Amino acid sequence: MPSVPKRRRLHSGGAIALTLLLSSCLASTAQAAGPPIVLETWVSAVSSTSVRLEARVNPNGLFSTYHFDYITDAAYEANLAAAKDPFAGASRSPSVSDANIGSGESSVKVLQQVSVLKADTAYRYRIVAKNSSTTTGPTLELRTRILPSGVDSCPNATAREQSAARNSELPDCRSWEMVSPIDKNGGQAAAPGELFGGGVTQAASQG
């Protein structure tokens, strides 16, 4: 005769203990999570009209989003003088809704490209990260590059050449150019005074 599995009824005391255990686990998880943590903020690829805003943010176990605020230094100082929020009227990126960085527990690198800046202008910027709480990163400063004179009046320059000239700060629609090829066919060159006893080609001290 096949055996019939026996069912045991959980006593009320056991059910209460299990409920308390689950509640404790959930509470521990909730306590471990917290506001997003801004680890560092910086800029890269600065040109006369654009910049890349970057940061590292830890969501800290909760679904988090972020955006960057940026404002000219002049407007920032004017807000302070008027006893306003220094970032009042600031632009933001993304411009409409915050970007998602998930709900992990390790740092995430984030970036936003901003392309509507004024040349040779100081700006203040910061990152704002949110989950159930809000963390505002430090207020930092950047300055866009100088727009070379005469760049926009070069009749034979293509749009790409004019853009390159703006970003390199060189006048007369010129841009940086490579003067030493990447592939040197096995040859090497040493700076004046760095070579003693031969081995590779060395430039003369007078050039």
Side-chain angles (χ1 to χ4, degrees), residues 27-42:
S28 297
T29 302
Q31 290 174 0
I37 302 170
V38 175
L39 300 173
E40 54 182 333
T41 311
W42 71 97

Side-chain angles (χ1 to χ4, degrees), residues 48-63:
S48 58
T49 58
S50 65
V51 67
R52 185 179 299 142
L53 304 175
E54 304 190 49
R56 288 191 180 276
V57 183
N58 185 336
N60 209 7
L62 294 175
F63 176 79

Side-chain angles (χ1 to χ4, degrees), residues 86-150:
F87 279 89
S91 299
R92 49 175 285 162
S93 184
S95 60
V96 180
S97 58
D98 286 6
N100 170 20
I101 52 175
S103 55
E105 297 181 353
S106 57
S107 67
V108 177
K109 182 180 178 180
V110 300
L111 65 88
Q112 292 291 321
Q113 182 73 29
V114 177
S115 305
V116 291
L117 304 180
K118 299 177 181 179
D120 192 22
T121 302
Y123 283 84
R124 301 292 182 100
Y125 69 98
R126 68 183 182 184
I127 186 172
V128 179
K130 302 177 182 178
N131 48 37
S132 57
S133 302
T134 299
T135 299
T136 301
T139 297
L140 302 174
E141 186 174 351
L142 69 92
R143 177 175 286 276
T144 52
R145 295 182 182 274
I146 299 171
L147 183 64
S149 60

